[in-house]
Structure formats: C-alpha cells, structure tokens
Amino acid sequence: MKDIKSVIFDMDGVIFDTERLYLRCCVEVGDRLGLKDVEAVCKKCIGITSKVTDQIMRDSFGGNFEVDDYKGDVYKLFLNYFKDGKEYIKDGVIEILDYLKTNDYKVALASSTKKEDVERELRVAGLIDYFDEIVCGDMVSKSKPEPDIFLEAARRINTIPEECLVLEDSFNGIRAAYSAGMRAIMIPDLLEPDDEMREKAWKIVPTLVEAKQVIEETK
C-alpha cells in the first residue's frame, strides 16, 4: 500500500454540518409551495451534481417544475442561516487541516456543489486558503458515483490515485473514491453505512478527529 501524499475532502457533511441545514431549507421552501415528500426527494440528491439534482426534482415534482427558482429560494434561505459559516464547521476540521498543511500534504476539495457556492462558503468561513485545488460538480462531466471529480482533483494536485485519501460522508462519494482507486475514510452524516459502504470504505470513523488519527498512524 502506497503512502498517503494527498487528501481530498468533500465539503457538505464533512467540513460543514450543512446537509441538515440544507434539507431544512428545502422543506421550508417546499412547504410554501405545497410540495410533498420534499425531504425524501432531497435526500436522493446528496452527493450528486446540480444537473442530476434538477432531473430528480422534475421527475418528483413534475416536468414543468421551476427548479431554478426553487433552488434559488432555498439557497437564499440557506445563506441567511449560514451567515459566516463558523457555527457549522464540524468537529476536527481546523485541526486536521492544520496538521495536513504543517506536514506537507497536498490538500484538495472535491464537491458536487457549484464552484461559485463552494468558494463563497469556504471564503466566509475562513477556510479557502487551506486548499491547493478545488474541483466542483460544474467542472466535470459526470457526477459521483462516477470517479471523475476525484480523478480530476488528483490530476490537479499531481498525485496518483493510490496516494490519495478521500474524506467523504455520502454513499455516492465513497463509491466514486472506490472507483477512482483511492482509499476513502467515511465519516457518516445523514446516512449510516451499510454493507456496501463497509466494503468500499477503507475506514469508517465518527468524526474528523479520528480521521486525523488514522492519517497520523500511516506516516
């Protein structure tokens, strides 16, 4: 097994405790519009690109559903709650990022969210400078569970997949890392791991505090 030289983070559910917040906003806006089963529909969209999300919503709410208007209203509400983001930073984030930078790991972020939104949230929370590269869902043709976003992140930080470690919370993220030939630590958020995740994740830990310990033990 090759040494870990680079670490690739997902964002929502790993760096920020925002999956629950985003679901809350989806439901609030959905209630105003009289939509049904909004939470269940939005959970299907965790870890996938905006384009695929749009199709899921149209399939669920009708072909004429104004997805862009809905998502715009959801994101405005999200930003109202998110503010500077600091209260949503998950346990161990600053510690693991400081450790990785101090020990000369390359650090990338690979999120299915649009780049504009990712950079905005990282910037207001004061985290953007930790990342050597940021790759987002609108920068690749295929979303998670396809491996494209992780392979592109690895290419940009000049690291072969076998020397990359992925930190993910979603099922599709773990599937994507596995398909990319990368080791992945799953830090479960909204969804508890099943047998498939236990097979495809290299490790499963409760927080980034334990993920940092795993990385330290591999040096």
Side-chain angles (χ1 to χ4, degrees), residues 107-207:
V107 181
L109 186 135
S111 170
S112 297
T113 303
K114 293 188 300 183
K115 187 175 184 182
E116 177 185 2
D117 296 342
V118 167
E119 290 186 341
R120 179 189 295 117
E121 291 165 33
L122 290 174
R123 190 173 291 110
V124 300
L127 300 178
I128 197 165
D129 290 338
Y130 281 104
F131 297 96
D132 299 300
E133 291 288 344
I134 294 172
V135 183
C136 300
D138 52 353
M139 299 167 65
V140 293
S141 59
K142 295 180 182 177
S143 65
K144 303 171 188 178
E146 298 300 322
D148 300 43
I149 197 166
F150 289 130
L151 293 174
E152 177 63 14
R155 185 190 70 79
R156 287 174 177 244
I157 54 178
N158 196 30
T159 310
I160 62 173
E162 293 82 2
E163 293 175 344
C164 291
L165 174 67
V166 171
L167 301 177
E168 262 285 1
D169 69 298
S170 75
F171 283 31
N172 279 341
I174 294 296
R175 291 173 183 134
Y178 184 85
S179 295
M182 301 177 182
R183 282 168 281 182
I185 296 178
M186 185 178 193
I187 305 103
D189 188 42
L190 292 183
L191 304 174
E192 288 300 316
D194 59 9
D195 288 342
E196 180 192 3
M197 294 299 102
R198 284 186 280 272
E199 176 189 346
K200 291 181 175 176
W202 179 50
K203 306 278 186 183
I204 299 175
V205 299
T207 73

Side-chain angles (χ1 to χ4, degrees), residues 51-62:
K51 183 178 180 181
V52 180
T53 294
D54 292 353
Q55 189 58 55
I56 289 173
M57 288 190 171
R58 289 195 179 98
D59 290 344
S60 302
F61 303 135

Side-chain angles (χ1 to χ4, degrees), residues 71-88:
K71 289 167 64 177
D73 289 344
V74 168
Y75 197 61
K76 286 177 187 174
L77 186 59
F78 173 89
L79 289 178
N80 184 57
Y81 287 125
F82 189 74
K83 294 184 172 52
D84 68 2
K86 290 184 171 55
E87 70 174 285
Y88 292 100

